[in-house]
Amino acid sequence: MAATSPTHGGPKLTRRDLLRQMGFAAITFWLPARWALALSPGTDPEASEKTLRALVDTLLPGNGAFPSASALGVDRSILSAAESNTGLAKLISAGCRWLDQAAHSTGEGAFFELAAPVRASIIAAAERSARRSLPRVLFSSTRDLAFRYYYASPESWRPLSYAGPPQPSGFAGHDRAPDESA
């Protein structure tokens, strides 16, 4: 016989039932995402590396003053992070396959072989895709990681005339009183 709630008169929800329902909800939403990101057999790691390099260079192409993302090793940093994070590794693998499929649908070659404007249009389509879709998750995750690794590199600071963080050395002049004329 189920216990009843004193305030509602219906069956009482136990902690065990609540945890069970939460587990079912997690499986319902988590597993399909994991299955969608599963590695497929025959994935060419070298092609994925080239595709990832083209992706980060499209996001952070560089110019005369700023280096490109791949020049700062952003693609290698992301791949290094993926070595210890199987979810990220699967996302990169599945995402690079998606980028290459999108590139082939344009009638051209692989993603890394496309001209920069065509790559940018594919990335823009990924950005506009459904919130939890593979293209959108790939775009968001890769963009966040690319910006983090790019701006963590001191080489990206030089064109900004940024000398770096004040710590651990401290702020210049921290031992003097503020200038009264300012």
Side-chain angles (χ1 to χ4, degrees):
M1 183 179 228
T4 59
S5 171
T7 57
H8 299 292
K12 181 179 173 186
L13 183 64
T14 65
R15 184 172 42 207
R16 179 174 289 158
D17 292 333
L18 178 64
L19 290 173
R20 184 180 300 125
Q21 289 177 2
M22 288 172 53
F24 286 134
I27 289 171
T28 301
F29 293 106
W30 179 246
L31 282 181
R34 296 289 291 181
W35 291 328
L37 299 178
L39 291 170
S40 68
T43 301
D44 181 8
E46 186 177 328
S48 290
E49 289 176 18
K50 289 179 181 178
T51 298
L52 179 63
R53 186 176 311 118
L55 172 59
V56 298
D57 278 346
T58 305
L59 293 171
L60 294 160
N63 60 23
F66 291 92
S68 69
S70 64
L72 295 184
V74 170
D75 54 324
R76 292 185 304 277
S77 295
I78 293 173
L79 289 172
S80 178
E83 288 176 4
S84 61
N85 183 332
T86 57
L88 179 59
K90 289 178 180 183
L91 174 64
I92 290 170
S93 177
C96 288
R97 280 194 316 276
W98 179 85
L99 288 169
D100 285 335
Q101 289 170 352
H104 288 299
S105 73
T106 66
E108 310 258 343
F111 183 78
F112 63 87
E113 297 171 330
L114 299 176
V118 180
R119 289 194 318 250
S121 68
I122 292 172
I123 293 171
E127 180 182 17
R128 290 187 309 268
S129 64
R131 185 169 171 239
R132 294 178 68 179
S133 67
L134 172 63
R136 178 74 173 271
V137 172
L138 173 73
F139 168 77
S140 298
S141 300
T142 308
R143 180 197 57 203
D144 292 348
L145 288 171
F147 277 62
R148 180 181 306 152
Y149 289 126
Y150 186 87
Y151 289 108
S153 174
E155 289 85 12
S156 70
W157 305 342
R158 288 189 187 107
L160 301 171
S161 298
Y162 176 61
Q167 300 303 329
S169 302
F171 289 97
H174 70 280
D175 56 339
R176 294 187 308 269
D179 186 7
E180 296 290 327
S181 62

